[in-house]
């Protein structure tokens, strides 16, 4: 119990540091770009790490299944810190971009490995609480991150936004290592992962989508067209078969995670822009809406961790997606000048609460549906699907907004693009649990180490050892 407490504290600390880095770098990057004369590479400093993280997630899944999560955890945190050090000491913008690419790769390794650690180091009934703690670890950085980043930039210099996170990650890693290194792999896990080339193709496609979404010329159509084609071609090779047809069980969980993330992030990006540009609010007041949403996300996580057994899993997920849709609709209503700002403040609070209900539930569910030796691969699929769908929706919504930026239709298009995945998610939520127990030991892996057929790799909660059944 004592070792597990140290493991929990250390892992939550690492998630907190990663969250702070994400928020703080976003706030500090305009200063960084000016200081290094690198405005032309501004977009790539955000799109690049996301792209390399996709490759890392694919690698980490099979690696953690075969050899256990210790090595991908250690290598992931080491590369994350190395990338931060390179970025913090960068003499020019290209060096900083290189550091960000390494940092994104390391973060992708650790993210997937952390899911495997939770799956193997904690009993199933504790999974909702652990994932709720991970979600809550994003709240404080979301609330104070921009302010703290501003103070650091002003008094210490922008480099310390990167360097302090690297330094703080070391003791947290030492705290979790004694427990993590004892978690072994599954001998039955496949030894070959041939999906890496598809992950690289998806990563390049994501970068093209990101660049296309930032442009308003004809070249944007080329970037978006090639990027979308690349994602459509590569994504089915990276996700469980049946993901895009919402097959029951794991494929629907993976799809739902991407739909929920895409709807929430797309709306989250455009709410402050609408409030500051069209309603005249200060950045601080506009950010209050996002802060409230983050706090309600934490509250939703707390509720699902403690009340999960009172509401069936599919119903809880559907309720979460309905709440997210309500939040998006509140943003749509704000386009009308007669609608008060309080509407979006209340609506986005509901949306944040819905994310708190849905996200940890999906994280727990993917572990409970994973047969031995597939937790890493399935957790990888969950993260990769989230990244692919979120980035695609951001690119499409951002491009439409840029095209219609001088008209009210710009915000209408941006929020409508967010509403579509939220509504689809309400429908997909009903397919996230298998209709009957399906377990076939020793089957269900393709030669690449990622489950292809949901009816031969899933473990139904009812077939788990006594005392480990997933609540809800």
């Amino acid at each position: 119990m004592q070792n597990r407490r140290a493991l929990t504290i250390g892992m939550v600390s690492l998630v907190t540091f990663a969250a702070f880095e994400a928020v703080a770098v976003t706030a500090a990057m305009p200063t960084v770009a000016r200081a290094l004369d690198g405005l032309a590479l501004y977009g790539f400093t955000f799109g690049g790490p996301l792209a390399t993280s996709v490759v890392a997630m694919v690698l980490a899944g099979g690696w953690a299944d075969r050899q256990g999560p210790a090595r991908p955890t250690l290598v992931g945190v080491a590369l994350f810190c190395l990338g931060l050090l390179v970025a913090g000491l960068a003499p020019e913008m290209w060096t900083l971009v290189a550091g960000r690419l390494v940092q994104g790769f390391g973060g992708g390794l650790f993210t997937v490995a952390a899911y495997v650690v939770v799956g193997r180091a904690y009993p199933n009934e504790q999974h909702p609480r652990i994932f709720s703690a991970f979600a809550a670890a994003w709240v404080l950085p979301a609330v104070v991150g921009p302010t703290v980043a501003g103070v650091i930039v002003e008094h210490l210099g922008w480099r310390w936004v990167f360097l302090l996170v690297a330094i703080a990650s070391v003791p947290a890693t030492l705290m979790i290592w004694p427990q993590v290194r004892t978690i072994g792999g599954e001998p039955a896990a496949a030894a070959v992962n041939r999906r890496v080339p598809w992950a690289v193709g998806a990563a390049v496609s994501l970068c093209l989508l990101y660049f296309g979404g930032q442009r308003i010329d004809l070249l944007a159509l080329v970037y978006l067209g090639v990027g979308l084609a690349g994602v459509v071609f590569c994504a089915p090779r990276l996700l469980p078969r049946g993901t895009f047809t919402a097959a029951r069980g794991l494929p629907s969980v993976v799809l739902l995670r991407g739909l929920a993330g895409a709807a929430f992030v797309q709306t989250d990006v455009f709410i402050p822009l609408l409030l500051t540009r069209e309603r005249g609010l200060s950045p601080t007041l506009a950010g209050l809406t996002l802060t409230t949403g983050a706090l309600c996300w934490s509250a939703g996580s707390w509720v699902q961790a403690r009340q999960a057994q009172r509401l069936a899993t599919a119903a809880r997920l559907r309720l979460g997606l309905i709440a997210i849709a309500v939040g998006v609709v509140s943003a749509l209503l704000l386009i009308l000048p007669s609608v008060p700002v309080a509407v979006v403040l209340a609506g986005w609070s509901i949306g944040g609460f819905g994310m708190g209900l849905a996200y940890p539930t999906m994280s727990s569910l993917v572990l409970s549906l994973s047969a031995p030796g597939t937790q890493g691969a399935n957790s990888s699929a969950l993260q990769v699907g989230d990244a692919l769908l979120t980035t695609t929706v951001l690119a499409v919504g951002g491009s439409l907004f840029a095209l219609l930026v001088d008209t009210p239709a710009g915000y209408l298009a941006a929020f409508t693009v967010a509403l579509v995945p939220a509504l689809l998610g309400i429908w997909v939520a009903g397919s996230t649990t298998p209709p009957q127990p399906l377990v076939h030991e020793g089957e269900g892996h393709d030669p690449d180490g990622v489950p292809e057929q949901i009816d031969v790799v899933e473990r139904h909660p009812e077939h788990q050892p006594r005392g480990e059944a997933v609540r809800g």
Side-chain angles (χ1 to χ4, degrees):
M1 179 64 70
Q2 189 68 31
N3 289 339
R4 194 176 290 161
R5 184 178 294 113
L7 176 65
T8 303
I9 294 173
M11 291 183 66
V12 171
S13 297
L14 285 172
V15 173
T16 301
F17 298 148
F20 174 78
E21 184 275 336
V23 174
V25 168
T26 301
M29 194 56 70
T31 301
V32 176
R34 288 193 298 268
L36 298 181
D37 192 24
L39 288 174
L41 294 172
Y42 186 85
F44 196 45
T45 60
F46 295 99
L50 178 63
T52 56
S53 72
V54 170
V55 180
M57 289 171 188
V58 173
L59 282 171
W63 189 4
D65 282 335
R66 292 190 305 271
Q67 300 183 17
R71 290 184 180 179
T73 296
L74 186 61
V75 173
V77 175
L79 290 177
F80 177 76
C81 293
L82 176 62
L84 289 170
L85 292 174
V86 171
L89 300 174
E92 44 84 32
M93 195 65 171
W94 270 114
T95 304
L96 184 135
V97 168
R100 293 279 287 165
L101 294 176
V102 173
Q103 172 198 333
F105 190 89
L109 288 177
F110 170 73
T111 298
V112 173
Y115 274 61
V116 180
V117 171
V118 173
R120 298 185 186 173
Y122 298 86
N124 283 18
E125 63 267 20
Q126 291 188 14
H127 291 173
R129 291 178 181 268
I130 301 301
F131 286 119
S132 294
F134 286 177
W138 277 83
V139 174
L140 184 61
V143 174
V144 305
T147 302
V148 173
V151 172
I152 292 174
V153 170
E154 183 176 350
H155 296 285
L156 296 178
W158 62 264
R159 298 182 185 277
W160 286 100
V161 171
F162 298 95
L163 299 177
L164 287 175
V165 175
I167 294 170
S169 298
V170 174
T173 304
L174 295 176
M175 184 176 293
I176 70 173
W177 182 245
Q179 183 89 349
V180 171
R181 69 180 180 180
T182 64
I183 304 174
E186 291 285 350
V192 179
N193 189 341
R194 297 172 183 168
R195 282 176 166 76
V196 174
W198 299 113
V200 173
V204 173
S205 300
L206 289 176
C207 286
L208 292 176
L209 284 174
Y210 199 94
F211 284 127
Q214 306 303 307
R215 303 178 68 97
I216 55 174
D217 54 12
L218 290 177
L219 192 58
L221 297 178
V222 177
Y223 283 141
L224 288 171
V226 175
L228 281 172
V231 170
V232 169
F233 187 68
C234 295
R237 278 85 174 171
L238 298 172
L239 303 176
R241 183 180 298 172
T243 295
F244 293 108
T245 57
R248 276 198 168 272
L250 181 65
S252 287
V253 178
V254 172
L255 177 60
L256 185 63
R257 173 66 167 256
L259 293 172
F264 190 87
V265 173
Q266 171 70 12
T267 308
D268 212 43
V269 166
F270 283 95
I271 284 178
L273 186 63
L274 174 61
L275 292 176
T276 55
R277 216 177 147 199
E278 309 302 330
R279 294 300 184 98
L281 271 65
S282 68
T284 301
L285 290 176
L288 179 63
T289 301
L290 306 186
T291 299
T292 303
L295 291 172
C296 290
W297 184 329
S298 180
S301 298
W302 184 89
V303 168
Q304 74 82 33
R306 287 156 180 80
Q307 305 297 325
Q309 70 277 14
R310 299 186 180 183
L311 190 63
T313 300
R316 190 160 68 251
L317 290 173
R318 185 177 289 112
L319 181 61
L321 268 294
I322 290 173
I324 294 170
V326 169
V328 179
V329 170
S330 73
L332 269 169
L333 292 175
L334 202 63
I335 299 173
L336 302 174
S338 59
V339 175
V341 173
V343 169
V344 77
L345 184 63
W348 205 230
S349 298
I350 296 173
F353 189 86
M355 285 293 280
L357 286 178
Y359 249 51
T361 299
M362 289 183 281
S363 300
S364 300
L365 187 56
V366 78
L367 293 179
S368 72
L369 293 176
S370 297
T374 67
Q375 290 172 326
N378 292 343
S379 297
S380 169
L382 189 73
Q383 303 290 337
V384 170
D386 194 349
L388 290 173
L389 280 171
T390 298
T391 304
T392 301
V393 169
L394 280 172
V396 173
S399 298
L400 290 174
F401 177 80
L403 183 65
L404 304 169
V405 66
D406 294 324
T407 69
Y411 294 103
L412 177 63
F415 293 131
T416 300
V417 167
L419 185 60
V420 171
L423 295 177
L424 284 174
I426 296 172
W427 170 68
V428 171
S431 300
T432 51
T433 52
Q436 58 186 0
L438 297 166
V439 181
H440 298 272
E441 296 294 338
E443 302 180 20
H445 291 284
D446 72 354
D448 303 341
V450 176
E452 290 276 45
Q453 292 287 358
I454 195 63
D455 59 349
V456 294
V457 301
E458 284 189 355
R459 175 175 69 177
H460 194 278
E462 294 177 8
H463 277 199
Q464 297 180 87
R466 185 176 301 276
E468 291 188 359
V470 175
R471 297 182 179 183

